[in-house]
Amino acid sequence: MFFRILVSGLFAGSLGGLMAGLLQWYFVQPVLLHSELYETGILKHFGEFTNGPQQSLDTLQPIRDGLSLLFSMIIYIGYAFLLISAMTLRLQTSSDRITFHQGIVWGIIGYIAVHLAPAISLPPEVPGVAAAEVQSRQIWWFTTVFLSVIGIWLIAFKPKIKYFFIGSALIIAPHIFGAPEPDVFTGPAPTEIGALFASRALGIGLVSWAILGGLSAFFLHKETVRTAS
Amino acid sequence: MVAFVQSFSQSRSQILSITFAALLGLLVIYVAGHSQSHILHDAAHDVRHATGFPCH
C-alpha cells in the first residue's frame, strides 16, 4: 500500500510538477522578474520609466529556470503523496476506482484546500513585499491547510448536516483568527504587478492541481492493477 | 472472530501506510517549499513565490 502510493505519487507528481513548472515559467516568472526590477531599484514606482506588466523572457537564465523546474517537480511530488493518500483512504470505504476525470475534480478540491485556502489571507507575494516574520506565517500556512483539508473532507464525505457546519467552521476559523501581517507596508512594486502576480500564481496553481489530480488517479489505478495481479 | 481480527489488523496496517505516505508528502513540501536553509531557499526561491508559500 505504502509503495503503491509512493510509486504513483512519484510519476504523477513529477509529470504534474513539470507541467506546473513550465506554466509558471511562461505565465508567472515574467511578472516576478518585473517586480524584482522594483525590488532592486532599477525601476521605481511612480518613476519616469514605465514598463508593461509582461516583462519579456528574452533573458533566459538556464540555472535559475532549471532549478525552478526541478523544485516545482519536487513540491508537486509532495502534493501527489498527500492527494493519493487521501484518494487511497477514500477507497478503503468505497470499492469504486477513481477515474482520470474524477481525479481532476479531486485535484481541484486539493487545490482549494492546500493552495487557495491559505492564499485567501496570505496571498502569493512578489519578491520584496513587506511581510510578517516567516516562521509565524509558515505555522499559520500549515495550520490553515490542515484545517481546510479536514473541513473539506467532513463536508464531502460525512452526510450528516452537523458535519457541514463543523467543516465550514474549520475552514473559516484561521481566517477569522487572521494571518500574521507586517507592521508597515513597504513593498516597492506597483500594486498592479502584485495583483497580476497573485492572480497568475493562483490561476496556474488551479490548472496544475487539476492536471495533478487526473494523473494521480490514473497512476494510482495503474499501480493498483499492477500490484494486484 | 479470527477473520474479524485479521481484517482489523489489515485495515490498521493500511491506515498506517496511508498516514506514513501523507507525512512523507508533508515532509517533502516542508523541505522543498519552507525550509529556511540558504541553499534550499535560493534554489527554490522562484517556485516558492509562484506557489504562494511564505518565502522570506
Side-chain angles (χ1 to χ4, degrees):
Chain A
M1 173 76 71
F2 180 71
F3 288 100
R4 190 185 296 169
I5 300 175
L6 221 62
V7 171
S8 44
L10 282 172
F11 277 107
S14 43
L15 263 177
L18 182 67
M19 292 297 299
L22 290 173
L23 288 167
Q24 283 176 351
W25 174 75
Y26 190 81
F27 287 105
V28 186
Q29 189 68 5
V31 192
L32 185 143
L33 292 177
H34 193 184
S35 87
E36 278 187 347
L37 297 179
Y38 288 92
E39 186 189 18
T40 52
I42 294 169
L43 288 180
K44 281 203 176 359
H45 194 185
F46 295 119
E48 58 183 302
F49 300 108
T50 54
N51 205 340
Q54 282 277 14
Q55 180 72 11
S56 86
L57 266 178
D58 48 4
T59 49
L60 259 180
Q61 305 175 57
I63 294 180
R64 182 174 178 172
D65 295 336
L67 279 172
S68 294
L69 263 188
L70 176 71
F71 272 88
S72 170
M73 289 166 76
I74 296 174
I75 288 168
Y76 272 77
I77 286 172
Y79 285 162
F81 287 162
L82 288 182
L83 190 59
I84 296 174
S85 298
M87 287 174 170
T88 312
L89 185 63
R90 180 61 188 158
L91 288 172
Q92 300 289 299
T93 50
S94 132
S95 54
D96 293 342
R97 62 168 284 205
I98 297 171
T99 64
F100 177 82
H101 290 94
Q102 289 166 338
I104 291 175
V105 179
W106 272 83
I108 292 171
I109 303 295
Y111 161 82
I112 293 173
V114 178
H115 207 136
L116 181 66
I120 287 170
S121 290
L122 214 55
E125 305 155 347
V126 286
V129 298
E133 198 218 353
V134 69
Q135 270 88 9
S136 61
R137 284 183 292 141
Q138 287 178 336
I139 292 170
W140 189 90
W141 188 93
F142 276 103
T143 310
T144 304
V145 168
F146 178 73
L147 293 177
S148 305
V149 168
I150 304 285
I152 289 175
W153 187 276
L154 290 180
I155 292 173
F157 298 126
K158 298 282 180 187
K160 280 192 182 157
I161 190 72
K162 73 172 176 184
Y163 288 111
F164 173 84
F165 291 109
I166 296 172
S168 305
L170 289 177
I171 293 168
I172 207 168
H175 303 283
I176 291 176
F177 179 78
E181 284 184 349
D183 298 328
V184 284
F185 295 109
T186 55
T191 53
E192 292 89 334
I193 290 181
L196 182 69
F197 183 83
S199 49
R200 282 273 169 97
L202 290 173
I204 296 307
L206 171 61
V207 176
S208 306
W209 270 90
I211 296 171
L212 180 75
L215 290 173
S216 295
F218 173 77
F219 283 111
L220 175 62
H221 180 64
K222 229 175 154 50
E223 269 302 295
T224 310
V225 172
R226 194 182 67 83
T227 50
S229 62
Chain B
M1 183 64 188
V2 174
F4 173 76
V5 172
Q6 272 178 348
S7 103
F8 179 74
S9 77
Q10 196 184 3
S11 82
R12 221 177 102 120
S13 91
Q14 284 176 344
I15 297 290
L16 266 180
S17 296
I18 293 170
T19 310
F20 275 124
L23 285 177
L24 184 65
L26 274 181
L27 185 71
V28 170
I29 292 169
Y30 177 77
V31 172
H34 293 78
S35 160
Q36 287 300 303
S37 132
H38 277 296
I39 297 172
L40 280 173
H41 170 271
D42 292 351
H45 174 267
D46 296 353
V47 182
R48 289 182 180 192
H49 278 280
T51 314
F53 294 149
C55 189
H56 302 280

